[in-house]
Amino acid sequence: THKKELVMNTQSLVNKELIKKYNINNENLSLYLISSTCTNELDKIYNFWYKIYCDEMGYSKDCLTNMEIKPNSLILFFEKDDEVVGTIKLDYSIFGALEFDYNSYIKEENSIFLEVSKFLIKKEYRKTLLALNLILVGHKVSEKYTPKYIVINSALSMKDYYLKLGFSLLSEK
């Protein structure tokens, strides 16, 4: 069987790209897109993930070992006054090489997957439209790569939210 390669031109995205400016709850926020090549922005993203996972959610520092940014990763993030307040990471793959083993649930070779992960919002912004805007813009960005499946690796506490958005549950592991 001949496997087609998924090619993303993320190498040209070396600086953060402003997607849109928002006014949410009378606060000015900017939505940016970066790729794994935007090394000057990645420390800010990692620090945000650390704050949410370890400081806010109480996870051990061991959870940070799974924070890799793959060569084909795209990250959308909201920023307020140069501080990250929300992220969503998009990874594209052909049948595998993602954070979770979706292959054991979806047995279609050569299917293009878009994995959504690191969908994190700072606590004081969780009752705003930030999350919905990240999902909507993430979906719009993903259309360029025509994934057959959009899959989410998330905490079970978010299950009902994703089901409302039209996702199906593959596993509760």
Side-chain angles (χ1 to χ4, degrees):
T1 307
H2 176 61
K3 286 190 175 185
K4 60 183 175 177
E5 292 295 318
L6 178 63
V7 178
M8 289 179 52
N9 186 13
T10 59
Q11 300 303 313
S12 63
L13 188 60
V14 293
N15 294 308
K16 65 183 181 184
E17 178 183 324
L18 177 64
I19 302 296
K20 189 174 179 181
K21 291 191 177 278
Y22 290 83
N23 186 307
I24 297 176
N25 290 348
N26 293 319
E27 294 189 52
N28 293 319
L29 301 168
S30 298
L31 180 62
Y32 292 100
L33 176 67
I34 63 169
S35 74
S36 58
T37 58
C38 295
T39 55
N40 56 331
E41 296 294 327
L42 291 180
D43 282 344
K44 195 182 330 184
I45 299 297
Y46 282 126
N47 287 335
F48 174 74
W49 291 345
Y50 177 87
K51 285 178 190 173
I52 299 294
Y53 280 119
C54 297
D55 296 347
E56 192 175 297
M57 298 172 87
Y59 290 165
S60 74
K61 292 179 181 166
D62 295 339
C63 81
L64 299 176
T65 59
N66 203 14
M67 296 282 186
E68 74 174 312
I69 307 266
K70 297 173 180 78
N72 65 342
S73 294
L74 294 174
I75 300 168
L76 285 162
F77 66 98
F78 271 105
E79 206 173 63
K80 179 184 185 287
D81 300 329
D82 207 36
E83 176 191 9
V84 177
V85 297
T87 65
I88 192 168
K89 182 169 78 107
L90 309 172
D91 288 308
Y92 299 87
S93 179
I94 301 258
F95 197 71
L98 295 173
E99 199 169 302
F100 182 78
D101 180 24
Y102 302 103
N103 301 337
S104 60
Y105 299 96
I106 301 172
K107 300 182 185 307
E108 291 183 31
E109 297 239 6
N110 300 325
S111 290
I112 298 174
F113 288 82
L114 164 69
E115 181 182 49
V116 175
S117 63
K118 308 303 180 272
F119 183 31
L120 300 167
I121 307 291
K122 194 173 177 183
K123 196 172 192 171
E124 55 263 34
Y125 291 93
R126 290 191 188 145
K127 300 291 182 188
T128 67
L129 296 175
L130 218 73
L132 181 60
N133 280 297
L134 279 171
I135 286 284
L136 292 173
V137 174
H139 184 263
K140 189 77 173 158
V141 168
S142 76
E143 288 175 346
K144 180 177 180 182
Y145 305 103
T146 60
K148 183 163 186 183
Y149 297 101
I150 298 175
V151 291
I152 298 175
N153 184 357
S154 179
L156 281 175
S157 60
M158 295 295 294
K159 178 176 82 171
D160 291 338
Y161 178 77
Y162 293 121
L163 290 173
K164 284 180 191 175
L165 290 174
F167 287 89
S168 300
L169 184 64
L170 289 178
S171 169
E172 291 196 17
K173 290 183 180 183

